[in-house]
Amino acid sequence: MHIPDNFLSTRVWLTLDGVAAPAVAWVARRAHKGLDEARIPLLGVLGAFVFAAQMVNFPVGVGTSAHLVGGALLTAILGPAPAALVMTAIIATQAFVFQDGGVLALGANVFNMALAGVLAAWVPLRLFSGRRRVSLFLAGFLSVAMSAGLALAELTISGIRMPPRLLALSAGLFAIGAIVEGMITLAAVRAIERLNPRWIGPAPANGSRAWAAIAFAAVLVVVVGLFAASGAPDGVMQIGQWADLHARPVWAAPMADYSLPAGPLWLRRPAAAMLGLGLVGGSAVAASYFLLRRRSS
Amino acid sequence: MHHVVVEQWSRRRSFLHVRDARAKLLVALALLAALATAPASPISAVPFAFLVLTGIAAARLPMASMLRKAAVVLPFSLLFALVEWAAGQPMAGMALLAKSYVSALTVLLLVASTPQPLLLSGMESLGAPRLLVLMAQTLYRYLFVISEQAQHMRLAASCRQGSGARRSRARAFQAAAGALAILFARSYSRAEGIQRAMAARGFTGDFHSLQRRSFNSRDTVFACAGAALAVLAHLVARRP
Amino acid sequence: MSPLIEVRGLRYRYEDGTDALRGIDFTVYPGETVVLLGANGSGKTTFLLHLNGLLQGEGSVRVCGMDVSPRNFREVRSKVGMVFQDADEQLFMPTVLDDVAFGPLNQGFPAEEAAARARSALARVGLGDIEHRAPYHLSAGEKRRAALAGVLAMEPEILVLDEPTTYLDPPAQRNLIGLLVSLPQAKVVATHDVRFAAALATRAVFFDKGRVAKEGKLDEIVELFQWDWGT
Ligand SMILES: Nc1ncnc2c1ncn2[C@@H]1O[C@H](COP(=O)(O)OP(=O)(O)O)[C@@H](O)[C@H]1O
Ligand SMILES: [Mg+2]
């Protein structure tokens, strides 16, 4: 899931660097506000812990094993902003020290795993805090599904031409990975709680439930959409093409790009598919926002 | 372990090692960007490979080990190169392979010629959030300690598995979760120990640092020349 | 002569209900080296953590005439240099020089002055040539001395050391003894190593289940509690 350099088109990595940099700065400010300064070393040490925890193998059958990714676990322990920041530090360390993931693609990887991944983990933790097991499993599942789905989408937009069957296969593998991450997150948090319940506080109660619900809807739409897109590219492409008709001028103008390996004609379709998904997601968010407003007022 | 070796390389002395971290970061970014935007042909990677290999030689780093270490990107790239090949674009696949390898080598050269603390403080002065930098610093420091602990635990676990009866998969899964929890407990108590040690030496929440950055005229020349070479390599790659 | 450390009736209970200290009286005068002996879990570490306010229990703890309370922490932590048992937890900065300068920087010295103090402390412990090394690559003996340099750079009046011989091989222990003997500060040292204690102690205190069971000459205490290999 760590995208190396040269896999993403300039348009994609540049945009995501542009999105991730201010987002990380914002997250850092937010994390700093709610943080006792004396706990700064804890964040760094937990980053090292996640690194090391990835060396612990979890058997998943047929002779294979999986390991923790960690975004959801950190979110459950630290809350969203510090977790996103720790994940950013981890991803940057992986890129620089281990050449695991690109440096130009750092924005994309941070966006997928540290920002969107942690958001996708936080939402069920916040929303279903009463049902611990469900929320922990969902947190792990959604965070990995989100990151993997986004990575797949970005590669596709960048013109990596995966045959539909392969795309569906990798989506399937990612879905299994997401289920395993859900199981590992659940098992690990419960084992940690058994050692000392104080280490993992109750789900943070800040932020309104309505926003969490909206974010949940958005996360679901994006995750389901991404998987649907990879499983049945043509269907989603239709929506995209429809959206393309309306949105092309806005989309194309600021993003003139000369370095794409694939011709722009070919590229327009998956890009439009993403845009279509964005529109669908946006309307779902808007709809759930109004519904919730109705109910609470 | 990979990071232990790279850490040791980064503390050598050479023309490249003594350059200011910011100058090296900028040159590396220029090279990466120039390569990424070069045409999708394996030939594109050649001028960049030449520059990076020259850099490795100038930094007096072991060429063969560097080349081997950068190969960590190859499995991933190879997969996608095959995908491109299957899609009838063998050249695009080769380009992906060559370019991602040279990019990884560029980043490796940067970290193998710059000690981590200097790299991090260079990033900070180029705008990375301070909290993130502090965290990355602690992460890197304890990566060595905690990953060693994890390896001991793995070893112990594999010893136990060898002798005991075969356990069911669910039990093994739970055992792995238990190992993770113990690793967490140790990390947590280590963090508490660190916090105590910091407080004992008068830490009240503000990190001060010894600023030893010195961007001299040689660094300026290096940064400009490096960026110019990156552009040149890009132009060469555009007109083979 | 007024005492450097004066502890009266100190009690401490951990959150989980463990009574770790049950009424400790303890005094240290300038120039003394007091060795704390006692079984694992007898409360030595817990006690030491009170000497600079990292833990606060009932009773009174005074250092250089000041109450150890939050408003004096800054002063007290400059006076009491504490070397912890696990050097990896004490050397948390990326290079040795950064680490040793951490204390002086917190004391408010400007960067140049802090670096100068750090360098002279490193020279004092015989590590003048490794200031740019990463702590991870040091030997156990070098780590311990670097940790000691980190507190010496703050120019404390009292050194507190918790099991300083942990992980050290005999030459490194000998080296540490030589170094400690040469330092003029008063010292409080918790240790299991009787030979190490014998090389330093002017006085010994025996801890038992959170109380001071006996105080006096080291060999008397060793004899009384049979705190040795036995001959
Ligand atoms: N963080 C802690 N929480 C609860 N109990 C503790 C903690 N640290 C130490 N103890 C207990 O306090 C007692 C004294 O421990 P300690 O001061 O470490 O002794 P010593 O250093 O002499 O071995 C022991 O019973 C120990 O189990
Ligand atoms: Mg102890």
Side-chain angles (χ1 to χ4, degrees):
Chain A
M1 268 199 300
H2 292 68
I3 306 173
D5 279 335
N6 298 299
F7 278 69
L8 298 177
S9 63
T10 310
R11 157 195 307 194
V12 172
W13 64 255
L14 212 53
T15 308
L16 288 173
D17 282 341
V19 170
V24 167
W26 179 77
V27 163
R29 270 202 305 280
R30 245 194 109 79
H32 212 149
K33 246 189 244 159
L35 186 75
D36 179 2
E37 301 260 356
R39 276 165 65 94
I40 292 175
L42 177 68
L43 299 188
V45 171
L46 287 188
F49 157 75
V50 168
F51 245 104
Q54 297 181 344
M55 294 160 75
V56 177
N57 289 324
F58 283 77
V60 290
V62 284
T64 53
S65 61
H67 67 75
L68 178 79
V69 176
L73 181 65
L74 285 173
T75 310
I77 294 169
L78 296 169
L85 206 58
V86 175
M87 282 306 280
T88 304
I90 292 174
I91 294 163
T93 305
Q94 279 166 334
F96 279 98
V97 182
F98 294 86
Q99 290 82 54
D100 190 5
V103 166
L104 300 177
L106 198 56
N109 287 323
V110 163
F111 180 80
N112 298 347
M113 290 183 271
L115 299 172
V118 165
L119 176 71
W122 172 73
V123 163
L125 288 174
R126 172 76 190 87
L127 213 53
F128 311 125
S129 50
R131 319 187 64 179
R132 198 109 175 90
R133 298 178 68 113
V134 176
S135 66
L136 283 170
F137 175 81
L138 270 181
F141 176 84
L142 284 177
S143 72
V144 166
M146 179 72 141
S147 320
L150 283 172
L152 217 51
E154 287 152 13
L155 288 170
T156 311
I157 298 179
S158 297
I160 303 280
R161 260 164 285 182
M162 279 193 264
R165 210 179 279 169
L166 186 70
L167 208 60
L169 177 71
S170 38
L173 286 179
F174 281 153
I176 294 173
I179 292 173
V180 171
E181 175 77 0
M183 286 164 59
I184 296 181
T185 303
L186 176 61
V189 168
R190 291 175 70 82
I192 291 170
E193 278 175 335
R194 237 171 280 139
L195 285 183
N196 187 343
R198 271 189 313 143
W199 285 333
I200 298 181
N206 57 358
S208 90
R209 263 181 102 82
W211 279 111
I214 292 160
F216 188 59
V219 166
L220 272 186
V221 166
V222 172
V223 168
V224 171
L226 289 172
F227 276 82
S230 50
D234 290 340
V236 185
M237 218 75 97
Q238 296 275 290
I239 310 174
Q241 261 160 3
W242 169 80
D244 194 20
L245 286 178
H246 302 272
R248 193 177 313 163
V250 195
W251 174 250
M255 301 252 191
D257 189 345
Y258 67 101
S259 71
L260 287 159
L265 242 177
W266 188 88
L267 202 126
R268 206 168 289 150
R269 297 180 72 210
M274 276 308 288
L275 198 66
L277 265 180
L279 285 182
V280 174
S283 30
V285 166
S288 48
Y289 181 64
F290 281 114
L291 283 177
L292 274 163
R293 276 253 298 234
R294 281 269 171 75
R295 253 206 285 167
S296 57
S297 62
Chain B
M1 279 185 289
H2 178 95
H3 54 288
V4 180
V5 178
V6 174
E7 156 83 29
Q8 274 159 352
W9 285 346
S10 76
R11 299 193 179 273
R12 294 189 176 184
R13 311 222 109 235
S14 79
F15 163 77
L16 210 57
H17 282 81
V18 298
R19 296 277 71 78
D20 187 276
R22 283 165 295 179
K24 281 183 275 187
L25 254 170
L26 290 175
V27 171
L29 286 178
L31 283 170
L32 290 174
L35 175 57
T37 51
S41 143
I43 312 292
S44 292
V46 172
F48 292 92
F50 174 76
L51 288 178
V52 176
L53 293 179
T54 311
I56 295 175
R60 290 195 236 127
L61 292 164
M63 188 67 78
S65 320
M66 288 282 286
L67 293 177
R68 215 172 323 115
K69 280 199 182 300
V72 290
V73 289
L74 287 182
F76 194 86
S77 320
L78 204 61
L79 185 74
F80 280 88
L82 286 177
V83 168
E84 292 278 349
W85 187 61
Q89 294 273 321
M91 269 319 189
M94 292 295 286
L96 210 55
L97 211 57
K99 287 169 87 179
S100 59
Y101 180 71
V102 174
S103 292
L105 201 58
T106 309
V107 177
L108 182 61
L109 175 58
L110 171 68
V111 292
S113 64
T114 317
Q116 180 81 355
L118 298 181
L119 192 63
L120 280 175
S121 73
M123 287 178 184
E124 189 185 344
S125 64
L126 292 177
R130 181 154 178 70
L131 185 59
L132 183 64
V133 168
L134 288 173
M135 209 154 39
Q137 179 181 304
T138 318
L139 189 162
Y140 185 71
R141 165 71 182 90
Y142 288 97
L143 185 57
F144 294 84
V145 181
I146 296 177
S147 60
E148 226 170 51
Q149 251 171 10
Q151 270 177 340
H152 289 317
M153 282 172 57
R154 233 158 80 132
L155 198 68
S158 65
C159 291
R160 277 198 303 277
Q161 260 164 16
S163 62
R166 292 194 56 181
R167 288 175 299 180
S168 74
R169 194 175 306 142
R171 291 268 301 277
F173 198 92
Q174 288 303 325
L180 215 100
I182 289 170
L183 197 64
F184 179 85
R186 290 193 186 154
S187 308
Y188 199 96
S189 81
R190 188 171 286 285
E192 285 181 329
I194 295 163
Q195 281 158 213
R196 242 181 353 222
M198 291 174 120
R201 283 195 281 158
F203 181 71
T204 50
D206 277 331
F207 267 100
H208 308 274
S209 54
L210 296 175
Q211 280 163 1
R212 283 161 308 188
R213 299 181 206 120
S214 56
F215 203 97
N216 60 27
S217 53
R218 285 189 188 183
D219 293 318
T220 315
V221 171
F222 173 77
C224 294
L229 283 173
V231 173
L232 192 67
H234 179 91
L235 293 178
V236 170
R238 303 215 99 195
R239 305 166 191 276
Chain C
M1 201 162 40
S2 57
L4 283 176
I5 298 178
E6 203 173 10
V7 177
R8 291 290 163 258
L10 181 62
R11 302 177 159 273
Y12 186 78
R13 171 178 291 179
Y14 279 104
E15 270 177 40
D16 64 357
T18 311
D19 272 314
L21 302 177
R22 312 158 184 244
I24 304 268
D25 296 316
F26 181 84
T27 314
V28 177
Y29 289 96
E32 279 194 299
T33 295
V34 183
V35 165
L36 310 187
L37 298 175
N40 286 326
S42 57
K44 303 183 294 294
T45 299
T46 308
F47 173 70
L48 295 181
L49 292 176
H50 283 80
L51 297 181
N52 63 0
L54 291 175
L55 292 179
Q56 290 194 280
E58 290 169 44
S60 93
V61 181
R62 293 174 71 79
V63 167
C64 301
M66 292 175 287
D67 266 324
V68 179
S69 64
R71 86 195 130 80
N72 290 331
F73 277 170
R74 217 186 132 80
E75 279 281 289
V76 167
R77 287 172 185 175
S78 288
K79 301 273 187 211
V80 180
M82 192 168 285
V83 178
F84 294 85
Q85 182 170 2
D86 187 339
D88 267 325
E89 284 171 8
Q90 186 147 12
L91 303 171
F92 41 77
M93 295 295 278
T95 70
V96 173
L97 185 69
D98 278 305
D99 201 276
V100 177
F102 181 82
L105 284 170
N106 285 330
Q107 285 175 307
F109 290 108
E112 320 256 283
E113 173 67 15
R117 281 171 185 245
R119 290 208 174 88
S120 90
L122 280 168
R124 188 82 192 73
V125 301
L127 293 180
D129 48 343
I130 64 158
E131 60 177 56
H132 293 302
R133 296 258 294 276
Y136 176 74
H137 295 296
L138 305 182
S139 71
E142 287 170 331
K143 279 184 190 171
R144 186 72 65 207
R145 281 186 284 151
L148 186 56
V151 307
L152 288 179
M154 300 177 75
E155 305 192 336
E157 292 188 24
I158 304 156
L159 293 176
V160 173
L161 299 103
D162 195 359
E163 315 247 4
T165 55
T166 312
Y167 303 129
L168 299 195
D169 54 25
Q173 291 188 19
R174 209 176 325 122
N175 186 311
L176 183 64
I177 289 172
L179 179 57
L180 289 176
V181 167
S182 76
L183 294 171
Q185 284 91 347
K187 298 167 201 91
V188 181
V189 186
T191 186
H192 285 305
D193 185 336
V194 174
R195 286 178 44 189
F196 180 77
L200 296 171
T202 55
R203 187 153 61 90
V205 171
F206 195 88
F207 272 60
D208 183 34
K209 302 195 182 83
R211 290 202 179 81
V212 172
K214 180 80 185 167
E215 193 172 342
K217 283 226 169 64
L218 180 73
D219 27 357
E220 287 167 12
I221 284 179
V222 167
E223 176 111 1
L224 183 63
F225 294 96
Q226 305 200 327
W227 208 246
D228 209 344
W229 300 102
T231 37

